[in-house]
Amino acid sequence: MDIIYETYEKIKSMEIRGAGRIGRAAAKALRDYAKSITDIDDNEFKNKMIDAGNILKSARPTAVSLPNAIKYVLNGLNDKNPKEAVIKKAEEFIISSSNATKKIGEIGSNRIKDGYRILTHCNSEAALNVIKTAHRNGKHIKVICTETRPRNQGYLTAKDLANEGIDTTLIVDSAVRYFIKEVDLVVVGADAITSNGCLVNKIGTSQIALIAHERRVPFLTAAETYKFHPKTIVGELIEIEERSSDEIHVFEEQYINKIKLRNPAFDITPAQYIDGIITEIGVIPPQGAWYIIEKYFGELFNE
């Protein structure tokens, strides 16, 4: 069980971050844990794997890639050879997740024209692939990255893009409206997409979308299909994770009980501010979210 607890801690502490990376990390942990289990019957194996999945799911409540990845892998428990099936399912998810990110880059890059200046927020693998694929295809682009407080994930994005040779500028989060007049396109990632096409993403995303809408700058989100949240179609709400206030500020002792501090990790962007969702099967409007959920997760509706 060590690999499960190690992965849990890495996800919870954000050593492993980004919805796609989180999903793949969970699948790898389940695969390796399944391989380590020997000399027990199938029922005991199933119980151990379900317990492991529940531990991993509790690491972060908002990113739906985590429970969706776990469910995909543990569907193998229904097979007549559950251990082999779980290992196979885990490897399938890891490969399909990586392929989906690559395909999103190819599709999304078509929405970027030569000479565009792009704004991005946080550190999304899918959004980065869109931008980097456009650059690799010979398009001359510039990128503005928000620093993305309080964990400064935007600095990771800026370094990644700079290493690709892309003209990159890092700005404070509160400067988005100041710079939006220079922006041709906003591309961000996604931690979850709801059935009505709303985007759950890093805190600050909704403000950027509102500013882009005001300036008529197209706003796109890159989201693998496993980031669509199936239970929202039957009314389940997505829990917004609040993290430790220590990530933001540590007060002097005399102010600890005098000043409150809140640290939500995500916010929700309404569908009307989203111009398109870039998935591995194409760019869909927010209103198409229901179709994706019905097509890929229909069996979950009544669970």
Side-chain angles (χ1 to χ4, degrees), residues 6 11 18 26 32 47 70 91 119 123 186 205 223 242 273 282 293:
E6 288 172 10
I11 293 172
D32 294 345
N47 290 333
I70 291 166
E91 291 173 345
L119 174 71
N123 183 233
V186 177
T205 301
E242 284 217 30
Y273 300 139
I293 293 173

Side-chain angles (χ1 to χ4, degrees), residues 81-100:
N81 296 309
K83 181 173 180 176
E84 292 179 10
V86 163
I87 293 169
K88 181 180 178 182
K89 284 282 189 181
E91 291 173 345
E92 283 176 358
F93 181 86
I94 294 164
I95 293 170
S96 65
S97 171
S98 298
N99 289 341

Side-chain angles (χ1 to χ4, degrees), residues 115-119 142-144 167 169 171 175-186 211 215 217:
Y116 262 22
R117 178 165 289 190
I118 302 154
L119 174 71
K142 297 180 179 181
V143 181
I144 297 174
D167 186 327
T169 301
I171 65 171
V176 169
R177 197 173 189 279
Y178 180 87
F179 285 102
I180 197 68
K181 60 183 179 293
E182 304 176 15
V183 173
D184 300 293
L185 181 69
V186 177
I211 292 167
R215 293 288 300 192
V217 175

Side-chain angles (χ1 to χ4, degrees), residues 9-22:
E9 290 296 339
K10 288 179 179 180
I11 293 172
K12 188 172 181 62
S13 68
M14 293 180 63
E15 181 179 340
I16 297 173
R17 63 180 83 192
R21 300 182 192 101
I22 287 172

Side-chain angles (χ1 to χ4, degrees), residues 255-272:
Y255 294 110
I256 290 176
N257 296 320
K258 293 182 179 180
I259 301 175
K260 299 181 180 68
L261 206 159
R262 301 285 300 276
N263 184 20
F266 305 94
D267 61 23
I268 301 174
T269 300
Q272 62 263 36

Side-chain angles (χ1 to χ4, degrees), residues 97-263:
S97 171
S98 298
N99 289 341
T101 305
K102 180 180 179 182
K103 189 65 177 178
I104 284 171
E106 295 170 356
I107 294 171
S109 66
N110 293 326
R111 298 293 292 266
I112 297 175
K113 295 181 180 179
D114 190 49
Y116 262 22
R117 178 165 289 190
I118 302 154
L119 174 71
T120 192
H121 184 58
C122 200
N123 183 233
S124 163
E125 185 180 22
L128 275 169
N129 265 338
V130 170
I131 296 167
K132 290 194 284 190
T133 301
H135 172 73
R136 291 167 183 169
N137 288 341
K139 295 176 182 178
H140 299 90
I141 57 176
K142 297 180 179 181
V143 181
I144 297 174
C145 307
T146 58
E147 62 175 350
T148 319
R149 288 275 297 153
R151 296 297 295 262
N152 296 316
Q153 293 107 311
Y155 182 46
L156 301 177
T157 294
K159 290 193 292 184
D160 194 349
L161 295 174
N163 288 336
E164 283 280 324
I166 297 173
D167 186 327
T168 304
T169 301
L170 185 68
I171 65 171
V172 298
D173 297 338
S174 53
V176 169
R177 197 173 189 279
Y178 180 87
F179 285 102
I180 197 68
K181 60 183 179 293
E182 304 176 15
V183 173
D184 300 293
L185 181 69
V186 177
V187 181
V188 300
D191 284 273
I193 303 289
T194 68
S195 61
N196 61 348
C198 293
L199 164 66
V200 182
N201 197 48
K202 180 57 61 179
I203 191 75
T205 301
S206 63
Q207 295 171 102
I208 294 171
L210 181 59
I211 292 167
H213 181 76
E214 177 198 32
R215 293 288 300 192
R216 294 182 173 83
V217 175
F219 180 97
L220 301 175
T221 179
E224 300 91 326
T225 51
Y226 62 79
K227 292 180 183 175
F228 287 71
H229 201 304
K231 293 299 184 72
T232 59
I233 208 166
V234 291
E236 184 172 303
L237 299 176
I238 295 177
E239 178 184 351
I240 299 299
E241 175 187 5
E242 284 217 30
R243 296 183 62 80
S244 170
S245 61
D246 291 345
E247 290 184 346
I248 300 176
H249 190 75
V250 178
F251 292 118
E252 297 92 331
E253 186 175 353
Q254 66 267 36
Y255 294 110
I256 290 176
N257 296 320
K258 293 182 179 180
I259 301 175
K260 299 181 180 68
L261 206 159
R262 301 285 300 276
N263 184 20

